[in-house]
Amino acid sequence: MARVYNFSAGPSMLPEEVLKTAAAEMMEFGESGQSVMEMSHRSKEYQAIFDEAEANLREIMNIPENYEVLFLQGGASTQFAMIPLNLMTKNGKADYIITGQWANKAYKEAARYGAAREVASSKDKTFSYIPKTTAADFDPEADYVHICMNNTIYGTKYNTLPETGDVPLIADISSCILSEPIDVSKFGMLYAGAQKNVAPAGVTIVIIRKDLIGNAMDITPTMLNYSTHSENGSMFNTPPCYAIYIAGLTFKWIKKMGGLEAMKALNEKKAKILYDFLDNSKLFKGTVVPEDRSLMNVPFITGNEELDAKFVAESKKAGFYNLKGHRSVGGMRASIYNAMPIEGVEKLVEFMKKFEEENA
Ligand SMILES: *Cc1c(COP(=O)(O)O)cnc(C)c1O
């Protein structure tokens, strides 16, 4: 069977080249006599895979020396608790901007451990925009400000970062990591589950400024303390070895593609094809204000639920998978992460044009 164009929000498509390399190395990695899945994480073969992955991530994201890179488990959702447990510890306060479900989950989890404050929200318009903030909106005594950089469900993205003064900014970049360059030095911490743009589910990448590590609350479980993982090179216990190996292959693929500037150019080109079509269509329309549109997740509607359902069903038959919108918002959503080839977007738009003609 031919591979379909998979527009899933996550887990999502991986680069074909990554899958082919993984397939070729499945039975034996190099001259090791074993699959990466079977290797001891304490072996020198595996340590080399791990070190190369970290080095390549540091290179492509241009991560400064004073930041630690951790490969953890538990998904981005575990970070919702780890962040307050480790960082809401100076003044016991943190500011959150609510731009959707993930941001809200992070906020609610933090509220269990201290004084989490909702600074701004775009809930009034179904999270279809990024709320504007100024430096004065933030509590200078907050231990950090948390944002969700790209809102996977609603299709919005921060194109300008909030001005938080000296308060460290923390961003959930689960659905936009590696999609374009990011100035790591502007953040106290970045984190991302891997299953949107990096690897299969199972590994969570944390990039944290070193001076922020080491102040966890006493109640913090050992496994949820950044110090534990930082002091043990992310190998306090067994890391998600295979997912880290695939992440390493993705990092190499991105390097070969020309790095994050090249990914950005490609992603902008892909997104433009879809947004231009939506802006000119008589049937379909995008749901996000133009200035806050995501490059990765593109929600759209016809305005008629029956027609939406028909479109989802027919698109699946035509080989375009997972275009149904998130269960909480309905409509459609095309997730066009790094691994979605430009032909996938071009062919989707052709299909949408045809659907529009047939259902006018
Ligand atoms: C998918 C997603 C999450 C949840 O990730 P898990 O790894 O499943 O916990 C959190 N935040 C954002 C922005 C996401 O897209």
Side-chain angles (χ1 to χ4, degrees):
M1 182 195 163
R3 280 173 58 76
V4 297
Y5 291 115
N6 180 5
F7 292 89
S8 169
S12 38
M13 286 182 88
L14 283 166
E16 211 161 283
E17 202 179 305
V18 166
L19 294 175
K20 281 184 177 151
T21 306
E25 293 176 344
M26 178 58 75
M27 296 304 288
E28 182 183 14
F29 176 81
E31 307 278 292
S32 69
Q34 48 197 308
S35 168
V36 177
M37 286 192 193
E38 305 166 306
M39 267 179 200
S40 163
H41 60 294
R42 308 279 176 208
S43 65
K44 73 173 192 313
E45 286 95 342
Y46 188 72
Q47 189 66 53
I49 291 171
F50 182 97
D51 291 344
E52 189 182 16
E54 181 181 337
N56 280 330
L57 180 64
R58 282 185 175 277
E59 185 184 327
I60 52 185
M61 284 186 75
N62 197 15
I63 300 172
E65 275 300 312
N66 62 324
Y67 284 74
E68 197 80 63
V69 175
L70 305 174
F71 293 95
L72 307 180
Q73 304 201 47
S77 301
T78 296
Q79 294 309 308
F80 299 165
M82 279 180 85
I83 291 163
L85 282 167
N86 285 268
L87 304 173
M88 208 202 238
T89 52
K90 243 202 281 174
N91 297 318
K93 301 198 273 185
D95 282 352
Y96 280 74
I97 302 179
I98 312 301
T99 51
Q101 282 193 28
W102 298 118
N104 194 46
K105 281 183 178 166
Y107 162 68
K108 276 167 59 186
E109 193 69 12
R112 305 180 66 214
Y113 301 105
R117 187 173 71 111
E118 180 184 312
V119 174
S121 166
S122 48
K123 192 168 182 211
D124 60 336
K125 291 184 180 154
T126 327
F127 302 113
S128 57
Y129 69 102
I130 297 285
K132 300 245 180 327
T133 53
T134 66
D137 295 325
F138 299 103
D139 179 352
E141 289 192 345
D143 289 326
Y144 59 85
V145 173
H146 181 279
I147 61 167
C148 182
M149 189 93 161
N150 183 79
N151 295 281
T152 324
I153 296 172
Y154 305 94
T156 59
K157 187 192 80 160
Y158 274 89
N159 288 310
T160 318
L161 291 176
E163 192 53 67
T164 65
D166 291 335
V167 180
L169 181 61
I170 297 181
D172 178 351
I173 55 167
S174 292
S175 51
C176 60
I177 185 171
L178 305 178
S179 63
E180 60 183 325
I182 183 166
D183 183 351
V184 176
S185 71
K186 289 212 156 74
F187 297 86
M189 178 182 147
L190 293 165
Y191 66 99
Q195 67 274 21
K196 314 279 161 69
N197 227 356
V198 182
V203 61
T204 305
I205 296 170
V206 169
I207 301 164
I208 180 168
R209 223 172 63 205
K210 286 179 180 168
D211 63 282
L212 295 174
I213 302 175
N215 308 302
M217 294 179 194
D218 288 341
I219 59 159
T220 307
T222 305
M223 276 296 288
L224 299 190
N225 193 322
Y226 292 126
S227 298
T228 304
H229 301 288
S230 139
E231 283 163 12
N232 291 283
S234 299
M235 293 210 201
F236 171 74
N237 68 327
T238 319
C241 303
Y242 196 76
I244 294 170
Y245 155 73
I246 300 286
L249 295 180
T250 300
F251 303 153
K252 275 191 214 171
W253 174 75
I254 288 175
K255 268 176 76 168
K256 220 172 99 180
M257 295 287 287
L260 295 188
E261 285 293 351
M263 290 315 312
K264 180 184 184 185
L266 186 58
N267 287 327
E268 282 176 345
K269 202 165 157 190
K270 281 178 346 195
K272 187 172 188 308
I273 294 170
L274 199 43
Y275 285 124
D276 280 352
F277 171 71
L278 291 172
D279 288 344
N280 292 300
S281 168
K282 287 196 177 65
L283 180 62
F284 297 100
K285 63 171 186 291
T287 56
V288 170
V289 299
E291 67 269 23
D292 297 329
R293 284 169 167 175
S294 166
L295 288 178
M296 298 281 99
N297 311 98
V298 183
F300 57 95
I301 52 171
T302 63
N304 171 332
E305 277 179 34
E306 271 167 39
L307 213 47
D308 286 354
K310 186 177 178 206
F311 176 80
V312 171
E314 288 187 10
S315 61
K316 180 158 191 206
K317 277 192 209 128
F320 304 102
Y321 276 38
N322 293 311
L323 282 166
K324 196 170 182 325
H326 189 269
R327 59 189 186 281
S328 66
V329 289
M332 282 74 71
R333 171 180 51 171
S335 293
I336 49 174
Y337 297 114
N338 285 351
M340 171 60 67
I342 195 159
E343 304 79 57
V345 181
E346 288 165 348
K347 287 186 179 152
L348 173 63
V349 166
E350 273 169 42
F351 178 82
M352 288 168 79
K353 276 183 190 153
K354 191 165 132 268
F355 186 89
E356 182 169 336
E357 281 161 22
E358 288 167 2
N359 293 276

